[in-house]
């Protein structure tokens, strides 16, 4: 521990980040991190930008300096040079404990190999083929809520978060692994994989000192805690079910090819639209060179990775979309009017994508309520980040590049860029889908993979599932907003945002502080209004 701390102090003393202006740490252990967790959104960072300018430093664990910059050119440099700016080892350790060593965890050549194999599963044609899963699960959710509204005389009070989460879990189960969680089936028995997954997810959302110390000091990892035991048990369940899924998928391939008797298996002959089928193809096809095949272990590591990455993010985004529509009933009505122009309740992907106001509402939600509010990278070598706007250090010297040294952490301000007034204009913090009709020119400098937003990040480590998520969100909003009118069940001032990995709503009035968003949900009838 002392050695690590000494290294940290020594690194800090020599880091060029020392010259940057920024706030003083408020705790020797957490630096400014506790203040950031306690403040909503990116509010604190935005205040600092007002005080110290667009490039600054703040304190992380054990007084270490972290670079914070709103400069889009510097951020673009970090995101596009993903081998030089990797995830910090502590973050990777925590990820591997919870998700295994899947595509979110791996770096360098192994990451490039996994992305190359998996990218085809997320192209437009594949997402088009998955649209019927998005729609049928949305309809299932709509029917569950309809039953709940019939049972109550007026509008039903529904905490929409867990329901949206069940829907997206069902979708990623089917679309990813051809596995039916059946989480939306209220009468079914609890699913074993779902329970294991919940343990993993709640563990990933907790911020506490013990896992943090274990991430820093490997020797401490030998000391088991209650959290470790729970994660180990959940991992065992996931591993067992994952192996079974993989075994079944392989057996199906072998039996359809008669390959048990030594027959060859060609890549192009393996069918199946889910991600697992694609992985099995890359694992078994005898016409792919041995060294390019993906191992059983790597296939299995993708199961928890995709369950976590592909599930809570989209359900949280849809939760915020409905929240925004409750705050602006005029936008909710305008959206419903557009959705009702479609004659079928089972639209194709192309029909969904053609709905321009739905598209604007989804973009505006993902801008203002980005589910992943930030991420972190570490410099793997000394470097200079080019900047658009020269900045002044705390000694009054003007710089046209940010010097970083190997080991310096860099905060990637997803939400702060999405809400920046310098980029989006003075109404940047308001929900205004109409802004998407004509964007400010400067927005094109945002280095995001989609929509001039940082929401799905950019560069080689950008979100692989963004198209998947956009169509799934559209299918959900299409089905739900046509069927129901939504209103907040609590005063708007009671709803707060809590940021851990994913930014979720909670009620200030709830002493348990659990994530939730209760809405009044009422079936839409042409002349109705909420009583
Ligand atoms: C609104 C929904 C979503 C948001 C906001 C989101 C956001 C992000 C962000 C910010 C990252 C980069 C994290 C980092 O490197 O620090 C990421 C990576 C990733 N996302 Fe998403 N995501 C969403 C939906 C999905 C879906 C639906 C899937 C899968 C079906 C998915 C799979 C992944 C994977 C596998 C990665 C790791 C990519 C890599 O490192 O190469 N995401 N996502």
């Amino acid at each position: 521990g002392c050695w690590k701390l000494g290294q940290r102090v020594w690194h800090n003393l020599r880091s060029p980040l020392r010259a940057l202006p920024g706030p003083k740490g408020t705790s020797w252990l957490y630096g400014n991190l506790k203040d950031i967790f306690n403040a909503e959104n990116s509010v604190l960072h935005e205040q600092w930008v007002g005080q110290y300018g667009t490039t600054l430093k703040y304190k992380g664990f054990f007084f270490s300096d972290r670079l914070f910059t709103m400069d889009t050119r510097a951020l673009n440099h970090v995101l596009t040079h993903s081998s030089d700016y990797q995830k910090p080892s502590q973050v990777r350790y925590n990820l591997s404990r919870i998700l295994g060593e899947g595509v979110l965890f791996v770096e360098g050549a192994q990451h490039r190999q996994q992305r190359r194999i998996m990218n085809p599963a997320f192209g437009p044609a594949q997402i088009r083929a998955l649209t019927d899963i998005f729609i049928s699960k949305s309809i299932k959710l709509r029917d569950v809520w309809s039953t709940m509204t019939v049972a109550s005389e007026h509008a039903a009070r529904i905490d929409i978060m867990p329901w949206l989460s069940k829907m997206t879990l069902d979708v990623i189960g089917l679309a990813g692994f051809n596995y039916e969680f059946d989480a939306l089936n209220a009468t079914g028995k609890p699913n074993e994989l779902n329970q294991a997954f919940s343990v993993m997810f709640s563990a990933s959302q907790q911020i506490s000192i013990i896992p943090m110390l274990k991430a820093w000091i490997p020797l401490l990892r030998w000391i088991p805690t209650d959290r470790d035991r729970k994660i180990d048990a959940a991992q065992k369940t996931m591993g067992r079910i994952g192996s079974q899924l993989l075994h079944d998928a392989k057996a199906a391939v072998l039996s359809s090819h008669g390959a048990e008797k030594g027959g060859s298996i060609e890549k192009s002959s393996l069918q199946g639209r889910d991600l697992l089928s694609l992985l099995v193809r890359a694992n078994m096809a005898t016409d792919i060179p041995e060294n390019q095949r993906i191992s059983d272990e790597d296939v299995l590591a993708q199961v928890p990775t995709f369950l976590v990455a592909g599930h809570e993010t989209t359900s949280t985004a849809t939760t915020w979309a409905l929240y925004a529509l409750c705050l602006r009933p005029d936008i909710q009505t305008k959206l419903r009017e557009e959705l009702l122009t479609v004659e079928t309740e089972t639209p194709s992907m192309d029909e969904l994508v053609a709905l321009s106001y739905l598209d604007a509402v989804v973009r505006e939600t993902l801008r203002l309520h980005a589910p992943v509010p930030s991420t972190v990278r570490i410099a793997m070598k000394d470097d200079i980040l080019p900047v658009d706007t020269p900045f002044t250090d705390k000694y009054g010297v003007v710089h046209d590049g940010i010097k970083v040294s190997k080991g310096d952490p860099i905060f990637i301000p997803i939400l702060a860029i999405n809400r920046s007034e310098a980029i989006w204009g003075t109404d940047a913090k308001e929900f205004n889908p109409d802004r998407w009709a004509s964007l400010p020119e400067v927005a094109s400098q945002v280095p995001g993979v989609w929509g001039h937003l940082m929401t799905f990040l950019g560069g080689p480590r950008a979100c692989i599932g963004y198209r998947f998520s956009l169509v799934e969100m559209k299918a959900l909003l299409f089905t739900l907003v046509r069927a129901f009118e939504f209103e907040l069940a609590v005063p708007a001032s009671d709803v707060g945002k809590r940021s851990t990995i994913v930014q979720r709503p909670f009620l200030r009035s709830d002493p348990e502080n659990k994530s939730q968003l209760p809405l009044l949900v009422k079936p839409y009838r042409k002349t109705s209004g909420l009583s």
Side-chain angles (χ1 to χ4, degrees), residues 87 103-104 111 115 122 172 305-306 309-310 313-314 317 366 371-372 375 377 414 455-457 460-465 468-469:
K87 294 191 175 117
V103 65
L104 252 167
H111 175 257
R115 276 294 289 236
F122 294 94
I172 190 68
T305 298
F306 278 85
T313 42
T314 312
L366 290 171
V372 181
T375 183
R377 294 292 186 262
I414 295 179
T455 308
F456 297 107
L457 226 59
R461 303 291 311 227
C463 177
I464 199 173
F468 183 113
S469 170

Side-chain angles (χ1 to χ4, degrees), residues 99 104 172 197 201 303-314 463:
L99 304 180
L104 252 167
I172 190 68
F197 170 75
F201 190 75
V303 177
T305 298
F306 278 85
L307 289 183
V308 172
H311 152 225
E312 286 290 329
T313 42
T314 312
C463 177

Side-chain angles (χ1 to χ4, degrees), residues 117-151:
I117 290 167
M118 285 184 270
N119 276 338
F122 294 94
Q126 285 65 28
I127 304 305
R128 181 173 286 111
L130 293 176
T131 306
D132 59 337
I133 299 181
F134 302 149
I135 289 285
S136 68
K137 290 293 176 186
S138 300
I139 289 179
K140 190 147 189 192
L141 176 61
R142 179 199 70 189
D143 293 347
V144 173
W145 285 2
S146 289
T147 316
M148 292 163 89
T149 58
V150 169

Side-chain angles (χ1 to χ4, degrees), residues 367 417-418 420-425 427-428 435-436 439 443 452-453:
R367 184 186 72 80
I417 294 281
N418 281 4
S420 158
E421 288 184 12
I423 297 173
W424 301 96
D427 69 344
R435 81 173 71 245
W436 291 91
L439 283 190
H452 308 302
L453 295 175

Side-chain angles (χ1 to χ4, degrees), residues 335-382:
L335 174 63
R336 187 173 299 108
E337 278 166 8
E338 180 187 66
L339 303 181
L340 288 169
T341 59
V342 180
E343 278 174 13
T344 171
E345 65 167 26
T346 54
S348 63
M349 182 178 96
D350 297 322
E351 282 169 309
L352 283 175
V353 169
L355 295 165
S356 60
Y357 200 62
L358 175 62
D359 188 61
V361 167
V362 167
R363 283 174 191 267
E364 190 62 351
T365 303
L366 290 171
R367 184 186 72 80
L368 202 55
H369 302 286
V372 181
S374 62
T375 183
V376 186
R377 294 292 186 262
I378 201 116
M380 305 305 289
K381 59 169 202 182
D382 295 354

